[in-house]
Amino acid sequence: MAKTPVLTPRADDFPRWYQDLIGKAELADNGPVRGTMVIRPYGYGLWERMQAEMDARIKETGTQNAYFPLLIPESYLTREADHVEGFAPELAVVTHGGGHRLEEPAVVRPTSETIVNDYFSKWIQSYRDLPLLINQWANVVRWELRPRLFLRTSEFLWQEGHTAHATYEEARDFAAHVHRRVYEDFLRTVLALDVVPGRKTAKERFAGAVNTLTLEGMMGDGKAVQMATSHELGQNFARAFRTRYLSREGRQELVWQTSWGSTTRMIGALVMAHGDDDGLRVPPRLAHIQVVVLAIKDDASVLARVREVGDRLRAAGLRVRVDDHTDVPFGRRAVDWELKGVPVRVEIGPRDLENGTAMLVRRIPGGKEPVALDQLASVLPGILDEDQALLLAQSRERRESRTAEVSTIGEAVEAASAGGWARIPWAVLGEEGESKLAEHAVTVRCLVAEDGSVPEADDAPGNVAVVARAY
Amino acid sequence: MAKTPVLTPRADDFPRWYQDLIGKAELADNGPVRGTMVIRPYGYGLWERMQAEMDARIKETGTQNAYFPLLIPESYLTREADHVEGFAPELAVVTHGGGHRLEEPAVVRPTSETIVNDYFSKWIQSYRDLPLLINQWANVVRWELRPRLFLRTSEFLWQEGHTAHATYEEARDFAAHVHRRVYEDFLRTVLALDVVPGRKTAKERFAGAVNTLTLEGMMGDGKAVQMATSHELGQNFARAFRTRYLSREGRQELVWQTSWGSTTRMIGALVMAHGDDDGLRVPPRLAHIQVVVLAIKDDASVLARVREVGDRLRAAGLRVRVDDHTDVPFGRRAVDWELKGVPVRVEIGPRDLENGTAMLVRRIPGGKEPVALDQLASVLPGILDEDQALLLAQSRERRESRTAEVSTIGEAVEAASAGGWARIPWAVLGEEGESKLAEHAVTVRCLVAEDGSVPEADDAPGNVAVVARAY
C-alpha cells in the first residue's frame, strides 16, 4: 500500500510543497502584521548555526561586530538619491513615540548605510583609522506586498557589513574578499549549495552601489535565489555624509566603501534546494541536530541505552538530540524527524538491544541498516561527511543539467519558463534584452566571465548573462 | 608631577565620570533618534560575551531560542489590562508601511508577552506540549525621556524568556530556577557582582505579573541597578489569549506562565560597579580581550616576538589581542587599554627582549612586574583567576560596608541619600512607607527573607526591604 504523502508532492505544486514543509517541519509561522514571521525553534536553530559559521568567517576578515539603532531619522534616507528611490516604497514609519507625535518621523531601518555613515564620519579622522570594518547582526523591515515565509518577509534577520577604505582598489578587493571567503565558502562548504558567483547588471544593483556582487543558487524547481550580495558603494554615501579622512599626504579625502549582507532567506533557499517529497534534508555541517537517537518504546533498558548512546555520541563531538518521548507513537516521531531533515536517525528498541545493534537511518541518501552500538561513534563522522558531499554533488548536478546555453532571447525565455537557467552572451542580450526578459518575469541573475570568474565590468568582452525566474 | 586625569574623577561627579568613560573607552555613542544608542565594537564585544555565557546557561534549562516579530498589532497590547497600562506611555507606533497608512497601527515591541501568547495558544494543545520553554535575543523599544547610555535607552538589546507550564508550582519553580541558575550564577561568576536576590513589591512588579524576582547590584556610588528579573505571570496572559491545554484528565485548562529578561543595561552596570578613575575594569571571565600584547616600538624583532607571544597565549586558551599599531605613541595606547579595562597588558620592547622578559601590567589590582617570556602562558591563567575573585570580593565588601540596618523611614532616606543601601523591616515600612520613600526618589529594590533567601510572599513574617536610589 502506498503511504499517503505528508506533503504536497513537489511535482504537483512546488510553492504549496514549500509552504506545507515550512509548517509541518515547524520552521516558521506567519506573523500577525502583514508579511512578518515567527521563526520557530527548529528553524531558529538553523539560523543560529548559520550565524555561528558566518560570524567566524566574518571575524577572520578582521571585521568587528557592533550595533546601530533600529530607528533612523527619515531625512537620512533622502541624502543619497538612488538609495531613497530604491527604499522609499518599502519603509515602515514611526510617527508617534511615548504618546506624542514625533517632530521628525523615524523609519525602521531597511538597511543601515545612512546611519552607519553618520557615525563613520565622526569616528574616521585620519588614514590611521582605516580600514574601518564593521558588521552587525540585526532585524530590518522592508514592507512586503507578496510575502513568502523566509524568502520575502516584511521583517527579516540578517548581517550587514559596512566598511570604509582609503582607496577604490582596497574597497573593491575587500568586497570581493568577503564575497569569496565569507559567503561563497559558507554556501558551498556548509550549506552544500553549488552557487554561481557573478556581477549584477545596473538594473539589479543595490540602490546606491556602483557594483553589486551576487551568489545565485538553483532551487528544486529550477528557479534562482540570490543567496548573498556584496556591494562596492564607491564614494556615494561618503559624499552624502562627508565621510572623510586626512591622508598621509595631509589632504582631506572621501573614503571608499563597501556593504554586504545575507539574510534568513538562506533558510528558505536551504529548504527549496535540498528538500524532497518527504521533507527537508539538512546538510550535516549546518545541522544543529546531526543525529537523533530515538527510543522505539517505553522500556527502562531502552531509555537508559538511548541516553547513554546520546552521551557517547556527544562526547565524540556530534550534535545530538535524544528523543525519548515515548508517549508519542514511534511512527509519528520518525516521520517528524524525516520532515525536519535530521541527517541520521539512530533507532533503538528492545530487539536491537538483544542484538547489541541500533537501526541507522540515513535521511540524505535514504536507506537503513543495523549498526553495532559500539561502532556508532566511529562510523557516524564518515557518514556525515559523505552525506555533506552528496548534497553538494546533487546541487551541482542539478545546476549543470538544467542550465541551457542559448543564443537568442526567445530561447532564454523558453528555458527559464521550463524551470531552468539559461546562459546567453551579454553582447546579444544587453539592457534592451534584459527589459524584454522582464516581460516574461525572467531576470538576469548575474553576469559571469567566459572562464567562470566575476567580470570587472558589465561590458567586459565575453560576458555571459545567467538568466532565470527567481524568488 | 601628578598626571592629568583622563576622566572626571568619580568623587567629583559620578554621572559625568560614567559618561566620559563610555565615550573614551569607545563603548557607545548617542543615536540620532532620542534615547537610542550606537554600541561600538568594544562595547559590543562585551555584549557578545554576555550573550554566549547567558545563552549556554539558558539552553541548560532546556529552553530553546526562537524569534517573534518586531511589530505587534496595537490591539494585542490592550488585552491584558495591567500590561497596557504599564507600557502605553513608552510605545513607538508605526502608522505607515509601504507608502500607505496601516489599517491598524503596529507597535514596536516593548516586550513580547502578547505576541508570544498569540502563538503559544496555537502551538499548545495538550499536556504533552508542556512545558514550552522559549527564549529570544532581540531589540525592544521603550520611549525614554531621560536617557542614559546603556542604563536607560529608547532601544535596547535583551533576551526575553517565555514559558508555559501545566501547574502554578511548576511555573513558580521554573522562574526561580532561571533566576538562580541563569542570572545569579552569571552575575556572580562571570560579571563578578555580589548581587542581592529578592522579590519586588507590588508597586515595582512587572506590568502583568503576579510576582517579580530581581537581582540588585550596588554601583560605585552606592546606587542600585536592577540587573535581571524573572516573572511569574500566573494565568493573566493565558486568560487574555486563551492559552489552554487538554489535561491528562481530559479537561481544558489555562497554562501557567513565566517571563524573564536581561538587557544591555548590564554593560552600564559593569562600568559603574567595577570602573575606577582610570577607566573600566573588565572581569577576566567576561573579557573578550583578556590579555593585550603591546609592541612598545616599531622594531622588527619586537613585532615578531609580540605576534609570537600572542599566538602562544591564544594556543593556551586565552582571549588575546596583539597591539602592533606602533604608528600611535605607546603611552597613548597604554592609556587606551587601561580605559578599556583589559585585565592584563603584556608590554614588550627591545630592552625586554634582551632580558627575555615582558612587562606584565595588571589592571585590576594595579601594579607591574617583569615576567620571563616563556613563563607567561603558565602564570597568566592563575593571575586572571585571582583578579576575577578580587573584583567579586571588592563588590561584596562595598555592598556590606555601605548597607545600613535601619528601623525608621527617616534613617532609610538618610542612608540612601548618603550613597548607600538601607535594610528596614517591611513590617515597619509597608506600602505607605514605600510611597514616602518615593518622595525622596528612594525605592524598595527588593524584599528579602531574614535568612537572605527570596520570600514567598510580600507579607511573609520577617521580610526586610532593601531600599536605595537606583538607576
Side-chain angles (χ1 to χ4, degrees):
Chain A
M1 198 181 75
K3 66 177 178 180
T4 317
V6 178
L7 305 173
T8 306
R10 284 169 300 166
D12 291 1
D13 185 342
F14 194 84
R16 180 66 173 274
W17 163 84
Y18 177 77
Q19 208 177 316
D20 281 3
L21 193 160
I22 298 292
K24 295 203 172 161
E26 301 184 338
L27 297 177
D29 271 357
N30 287 304
V33 170
R34 182 175 184 78
T36 61
M37 70 175 158
V38 177
I39 307 179
R40 301 186 68 174
Y42 191 75
Y44 199 81
L46 298 172
W47 181 239
E48 285 182 300
R49 285 284 306 135
M50 290 181 184
Q51 288 188 298
E53 291 281 348
M54 303 258 304
D55 197 64
R57 286 170 175 77
I58 289 168
K59 286 185 169 132
E60 265 177 32
T61 69
T63 302
Q64 293 182 293
N65 287 334
Y67 186 77
F68 290 84
L70 173 74
L71 301 178
I72 302 179
E74 202 172 36
S75 59
Y76 280 31
L77 268 287
T78 62
R79 290 206 211 167
E80 211 288 332
D82 289 338
H83 194 66
V84 69
E85 196 184 314
F87 284 104
E90 302 178 355
L91 297 177
V93 186
V94 174
T95 53
H96 291 73
H100 298 283
R101 170 172 279 276
L102 302 181
E103 281 182 28
E104 180 183 352
V107 302
V108 181
R109 67 179 155 228
T111 182
S112 301
E113 279 76 7
T114 59
I115 196 164
V116 163
N117 264 280
D118 191 24
Y119 288 86
F120 275 24
S121 68
K122 291 169 191 157
W123 299 340
I124 297 170
Q125 303 293 330
S126 96
Y127 67 91
R128 286 189 200 86
D129 301 318
L130 297 176
L132 182 57
L133 312 175
I134 301 283
N135 177 64
Q136 78 173 351
W137 291 94
N139 53 344
V140 289
V141 171
R142 298 179 187 177
W143 215 259
E144 189 58 65
L145 296 178
R146 292 177 301 280
R148 195 189 294 263
L149 284 169
F150 290 119
L151 295 170
R152 293 192 172 279
T153 48
S154 293
E155 181 192 9
F156 55 85
L157 304 183
W158 78 342
Q159 62 66 221
E160 49 178 322
H162 296 277
T163 72
H165 307 261
T167 66
Y168 161 74
E169 290 77 12
E170 275 182 44
R172 178 197 62 193
D173 293 349
F174 194 80
H177 179 72
V178 164
H179 209 58
R180 208 167 39 239
R181 295 299 178 83
V182 177
Y183 295 142
E184 186 171 357
D185 184 65
F186 168 74
L187 292 168
R188 281 185 183 278
T189 66
V190 181
L191 243 52
L193 279 182
D194 184 54
V195 284
V196 170
R199 173 187 177 93
K200 286 287 184 191
T201 60
K203 184 169 184 290
E204 299 285 333
R205 231 178 250 152
F206 175 75
V210 300
N211 183 27
T212 290
L213 305 175
T214 182
L215 289 151
E216 300 286 325
M218 186 186 277
M219 304 297 102
D221 60 353
K223 287 195 189 177
V225 167
Q226 171 182 308
M227 302 296 300
T229 49
S230 194
H231 316 292
E232 296 172 42
L233 302 176
Q235 297 180 310
N236 289 344
F237 290 91
R239 205 171 292 119
F241 286 84
R242 302 183 189 191
T243 314
R244 282 190 287 219
Y245 73 99
L246 189 69
S247 73
R248 278 177 205 271
E249 294 75 30
R251 279 197 305 269
Q252 287 288 339
E253 306 271 9
L254 292 172
V255 298
W256 295 85
Q257 294 188 276
T258 80
S259 69
W260 26 281
S262 61
T263 80
T264 35
R265 81 181 330 218
M266 291 193 293
I267 301 171
L270 175 81
V271 171
M272 286 198 165
H274 295 315
D276 66 18
D277 285 349
D278 296 323
L280 180 53
R281 299 185 301 163
V282 183
R285 279 194 207 152
L286 179 72
H288 57 299
I289 307 175
Q290 297 175 310
V291 179
V292 59
V293 185
L294 287 102
I296 292 180
K297 62 180 275 194
D298 186 14
D299 168 296
S301 51
V302 166
L303 291 172
R305 186 53 62 95
V306 155
R307 286 164 199 153
E308 183 219 319
V309 168
D311 289 342
R312 220 181 324 142
L313 297 181
R314 251 179 235 116
L318 299 170
R319 295 188 287 274
V320 180
R321 174 78 61 89
V322 166
D323 176 352
D324 52 10
H325 296 138
T326 49
D327 52 351
V328 177
F330 168 70
R332 193 180 133 195
R333 287 182 288 136
V335 167
D336 279 351
W337 290 116
E338 198 148 287
L339 270 166
K340 288 189 159 78
V342 170
V344 170
R345 299 202 302 275
V346 171
E347 303 175 347
I348 302 178
R351 204 175 313 163
D352 300 293
L353 285 194
E354 281 169 30
N355 302 330
T357 60
M359 190 59 77
L360 192 153
V361 188
R362 290 172 67 173
R363 177 67 182 91
I364 290 164
K368 55 174 82 179
E369 53 174 345
V371 170
L373 283 171
D374 56 10
Q375 295 292 307
L376 279 170
S378 57
V379 303
L380 281 175
I383 283 175
L384 294 173
D385 282 348
E386 256 178 40
D387 291 353
Q388 180 79 27
L390 179 61
L391 283 177
L392 181 61
Q394 290 177 347
S395 169
R396 181 183 310 120
E397 200 279 322
R398 173 193 295 146
R399 184 182 61 75
E400 286 173 353
S401 68
R402 291 172 79 166
T403 300
E405 299 284 341
V406 305
S407 50
T408 70
I409 296 173
E411 289 168 343
V413 169
E414 196 179 333
S417 306
W421 292 5
R423 286 166 45 91
I424 180 170
W426 177 241
V428 171
L429 188 65
E431 296 194 352
E432 230 172 282
E434 192 177 12
S435 297
K436 281 195 192 143
L437 291 180
E439 292 165 16
H440 303 271
V442 177
T443 49
V444 177
R445 305 314 307 154
C446 60
L447 301 175
V448 298
E450 273 173 305
D451 63 358
S453 69
V454 179
E456 298 224 342
D458 287 14
D459 293 318
N463 275 1
V464 172
V466 177
V467 312
R469 293 211 164 130
Y471 285 99
Chain B
M1 199 180 74
K3 66 177 180 182
T4 318
V6 177
L7 306 172
T8 306
R10 283 170 301 167
D12 291 1
D13 185 343
F14 194 83
R16 180 67 174 272
W17 163 83
Y18 177 75
Q19 207 178 317
D20 281 4
L21 193 159
I22 298 290
K24 294 202 174 164
E26 301 184 337
L27 297 176
D29 272 356
N30 288 303
V33 170
R34 183 176 184 77
T36 62
M37 71 175 157
V38 177
I39 307 179
R40 300 186 69 175
Y42 191 76
Y44 199 81
L46 297 171
W47 181 240
E48 285 183 300
R49 285 284 306 134
M50 290 181 183
Q51 287 188 300
E53 292 281 346
M54 302 257 306
D55 197 65
R57 286 169 174 78
I58 289 169
K59 286 186 170 133
E60 265 176 31
T61 68
T63 302
Q64 293 182 290
N65 287 334
Y67 187 77
F68 289 85
L70 173 75
L71 300 178
I72 302 178
E74 202 173 36
S75 59
Y76 280 33
L77 270 284
T78 62
R79 289 205 210 168
E80 211 287 334
D82 288 340
H83 194 64
V84 68
E85 195 183 315
F87 284 104
E90 302 178 355
L91 297 177
V93 186
V94 174
T95 53
H96 291 73
H100 298 283
R101 172 172 278 276
L102 302 180
E103 282 182 28
E104 180 183 353
V107 302
V108 181
R109 67 179 155 227
T111 180
S112 302
E113 278 76 8
T114 60
I115 196 165
V116 163
N117 264 279
D118 191 24
Y119 289 85
F120 275 24
S121 68
K122 292 169 192 160
W123 299 339
I124 297 169
Q125 303 294 329
S126 96
Y127 67 90
R128 287 189 199 85
D129 301 318
L130 297 176
L132 181 57
L133 313 175
I134 301 282
N135 176 64
Q136 77 173 355
W137 290 95
N139 54 344
V140 289
V141 171
R142 298 179 187 176
W143 215 260
E144 188 58 63
L145 297 177
R146 291 177 304 280
R148 194 190 293 263
L149 284 169
F150 291 119
L151 295 170
R152 292 193 172 279
T153 48
S154 293
E155 180 192 9
F156 55 84
L157 304 183
W158 77 344
Q159 61 66 220
E160 49 178 322
H162 297 276
T163 72
H165 307 261
T167 66
Y168 161 74
E169 289 76 12
E170 275 183 44
R172 177 198 63 195
D173 293 349
F174 194 80
H177 179 71
V178 164
H179 209 58
R180 207 166 41 239
R181 295 298 178 84
V182 178
Y183 296 142
E184 186 171 357
D185 184 65
F186 168 75
L187 291 168
R188 283 185 181 276
T189 66
V190 182
L191 243 53
L193 279 182
D194 184 54
V195 284
V196 170
R199 173 189 178 92
K200 287 286 185 193
T201 60
K203 184 170 184 288
E204 299 284 333
R205 231 177 250 153
F206 176 74
V210 300
N211 183 28
T212 289
L213 305 175
T214 182
L215 289 151
E216 300 286 325
M218 185 187 278
M219 304 296 103
D221 60 352
K223 287 196 190 176
V225 168
Q226 171 182 308
M227 301 298 299
T229 49
S230 193
H231 315 293
E232 295 172 41
L233 302 176
Q235 298 181 310
N236 289 344
F237 290 91
R239 206 171 293 118
F241 287 84
R242 302 183 187 187
T243 314
R244 283 189 286 218
Y245 73 98
L246 189 69
S247 72
R248 278 176 204 273
E249 293 74 32
R251 279 198 304 269
Q252 288 288 340
E253 306 272 8
L254 293 173
V255 299
W256 296 86
Q257 295 188 275
T258 80
S259 69
W260 26 281
S262 61
T263 80
T264 36
R265 78 179 336 214
M266 290 193 293
I267 301 172
L270 175 80
V271 170
M272 287 197 164
H274 295 314
D276 66 18
D277 285 350
D278 295 322
L280 180 53
R281 299 185 303 164
V282 183
R285 279 196 206 149
L286 178 72
H288 56 300
I289 307 176
Q290 297 176 309
V291 180
V292 59
V293 186
L294 286 101
I296 291 179
K297 61 180 273 193
D298 185 15
D299 168 295
S301 52
V302 166
L303 291 172
R305 185 52 63 96
V306 155
R307 286 164 198 153
E308 184 218 318
V309 168
D311 290 341
R312 222 182 319 144
L313 296 181
R314 252 179 235 117
L318 299 170
R319 296 187 286 274
V320 180
R321 175 78 60 90
V322 167
D323 177 352
D324 51 10
H325 296 138
T326 50
D327 53 350
V328 177
F330 168 70
R332 192 177 135 197
R333 288 183 289 137
V335 167
D336 279 350
W337 291 116
E338 199 148 285
L339 270 166
K340 289 189 159 77
V342 170
V344 171
R345 299 203 303 275
V346 172
E347 302 175 347
I348 301 178
R351 203 174 315 161
D352 301 294
L353 285 194
E354 280 169 30
N355 302 330
T357 61
M359 189 59 78
L360 192 152
V361 188
R362 289 172 68 174
R363 178 67 182 89
I364 291 164
K368 56 174 82 178
E369 53 174 344
V371 170
L373 283 169
D374 56 10
Q375 294 293 306
L376 279 170
S378 58
V379 303
L380 280 174
I383 283 175
L384 294 173
D385 283 349
E386 256 178 41
D387 291 353
Q388 181 78 27
L390 179 60
L391 283 176
L392 180 61
Q394 289 178 346
S395 170
R396 181 182 311 119
E397 200 279 323
R398 172 193 296 144
R399 183 182 63 74
E400 287 173 353
S401 68
R402 294 172 78 165
T403 299
E405 300 284 339
V406 305
S407 51
T408 71
I409 296 173
E411 289 168 343
V413 169
E414 195 179 335
S417 305
W421 292 5
R423 287 164 46 90
I424 180 171
W426 177 241
V428 171
L429 188 64
E431 296 193 353
E432 230 172 282
E434 191 176 13
S435 298
K436 281 194 191 144
L437 291 180
E439 292 165 17
H440 303 271
V442 177
T443 49
V444 177
R445 305 314 307 155
C446 60
L447 302 175
V448 299
E450 273 171 304
D451 63 358
S453 68
V454 178
E456 298 224 341
D458 286 14
D459 292 319
N463 275 359
V464 172
V466 178
V467 313
R469 293 210 164 131
Y471 285 99

